[in-house]
Amino acid sequence: MADLTGRTALITGAASGIGRASARLLAEAGATVVCADRDEPGAQQTVKLIGEAGGAAYARALDVTDGAGTAEAVRETVRTHGRLDVLAAIAGIMHSSPVLETDEADLDRVLAVNFKGVLHSAREAARAMKEQGSGSIITMASGAIDTGMSGLLCYSVSKAAVVQLTKTLATELGPYGVRANAIAPGFIRTPMTARDDATAQARGEEAMARATPLGRVGDPGDVAGTVLFLASDRSAFMTGQILRPNGGIAMPW
Ligand code: NAI
């Protein structure tokens, strides 16, 4: 149904969690997937899993805070594979501190990865896709954009910025056949949301599941399905939108 045969996808954050699950699903749909991450062994492991399932993937060491290096990774993907159909900018970090204890270094560090890192890859992908006359840029926001969340100033600001970047890209690139959409997942069980304390983890997940109409927290595959939809022509008339795989925990207009 969502056939990506002959398409090339670049995925940042592909060494873990949502990025890995998305890389695996896009490869399963037929795409050639470049798995980029600052965690190179993790990216190689994703490539191995894809290879074992019969898919095509390549690992690429990349720190998205390096603007020139990120632009080069995009250009290299186009040079090597002849095209770039999908960018899924998934790499991100979490930071938690109350506003009164948040300093500028925290804010800069989070914005460097979660916002500027997305800008670096999306801008270069947009150049290539504009020339190509087609493409889908997928960014990873968060349910944190929809509400105030204690301790999440830096994170939620960075994700709100990602949404505005995505909407701007959609507006500027729509005339060239390039789409841009954001995903705002609810709580997804990944290394990012794992706590060291197993009891605290179980309690947190239970509380989250109780507050969620579908009665559970998400797993990375829940978000990968949305990535696949946005990557494919099944979402051909969709751009500038925010999709929320969140079990119904938030239902904004
Ligand atoms: P994760 O921690 O499992 O994966 C994040 C990946 O990004 C890792 O492989 C990490 O090495 C990579 N990364 C971090 N900084 C990087 C950098 N500077 N350059 C290149 N790669 C870098 O986290 P998860 O949960 O899979 O999150 C993926 C995205 O989804 C993030 O943007 C996160 O903010 C977002 N998200 C996650 C939610 C959750 O509940 N897990 C909910 C909403 C959004």
Side-chain angles (χ1 to χ4, degrees):
M1 287 290 281
D3 185 13
L4 298 182
T5 305
R7 308 269 172 103
T8 300
L10 172 62
I11 301 188
T12 73
S16 177
I18 294 168
R20 172 174 285 169
S22 301
R24 295 180 74 178
L25 193 60
L26 266 55
E28 197 183 312
T32 296
V33 182
V34 178
C35 299
D37 204 292
R38 69 176 175 188
D39 171 8
E40 196 179 2
Q44 278 162 353
Q45 178 61 21
T46 303
V47 167
K48 185 165 173 276
L49 291 166
I50 290 173
E52 284 166 3
Y58 301 85
R60 174 65 155 84
L62 176 66
D63 183 341
V64 296
T65 64
D66 171 5
T70 304
E72 177 49 25
V74 173
R75 289 194 295 268
E76 185 186 290
T77 302
V78 177
R79 275 200 308 277
T80 308
H81 302 287
R83 52 190 300 110
L84 179 63
D85 301 289
V86 179
L87 168 72
I90 297 177
I93 56 170
M94 167 61 79
H95 172 80
S96 181
S97 65
V99 175
L100 301 189
E101 288 162 28
T102 299
D103 61 30
E104 295 220 4
D106 294 329
L107 185 60
D108 289 347
R109 193 170 52 83
V110 177
L111 287 176
V113 180
N114 290 9
F115 173 61
K116 288 181 81 178
V118 176
L119 174 63
H120 294 147
S121 59
R123 186 168 47 198
E124 199 60 29
R127 286 196 182 108
M129 290 173 177
K130 182 179 172 185
E131 205 178 308
Q132 192 175 272
S134 67
S136 174
I137 295 171
I138 302 159
T139 61
M140 204 50 64
S142 159
I145 61 168
D146 290 321
T147 185
M149 289 180 88
S150 178
L152 287 192
L153 172 72
C154 299
Y155 185 76
S156 56
V157 163
S158 73
K159 295 301 188 180
V162 163
V163 169
Q164 288 311 118
L165 166 64
T166 309
K167 290 182 178 180
T168 308
L169 287 169
T171 308
E172 294 182 1
L173 294 162
Y176 302 96
V178 179
R179 302 185 293 113
N181 293 283
I183 301 177
F187 184 99
I188 310 296
R189 189 185 291 130
T190 70
M192 179 180 278
T193 51
R195 297 197 203 164
D196 293 337
D197 176 347
T199 312
Q201 175 81 18
R203 278 205 195 113
E205 288 192 8
E206 259 170 46
M208 200 58 79
R210 268 199 306 277
T212 302
L214 288 181
R216 64 173 178 87
V217 299
D219 64 45
D222 291 317
V223 184
T226 310
V227 173
L228 174 60
F229 171 64
L230 290 175
S232 80
D233 295 342
R234 296 282 160 186
S235 58
F237 197 48
M238 184 170 277
T239 196
Q241 305 304 308
I242 305 170
L243 272 69
R244 294 178 169 83
N246 64 8
I249 198 166
M251 304 184 190
W253 285 87

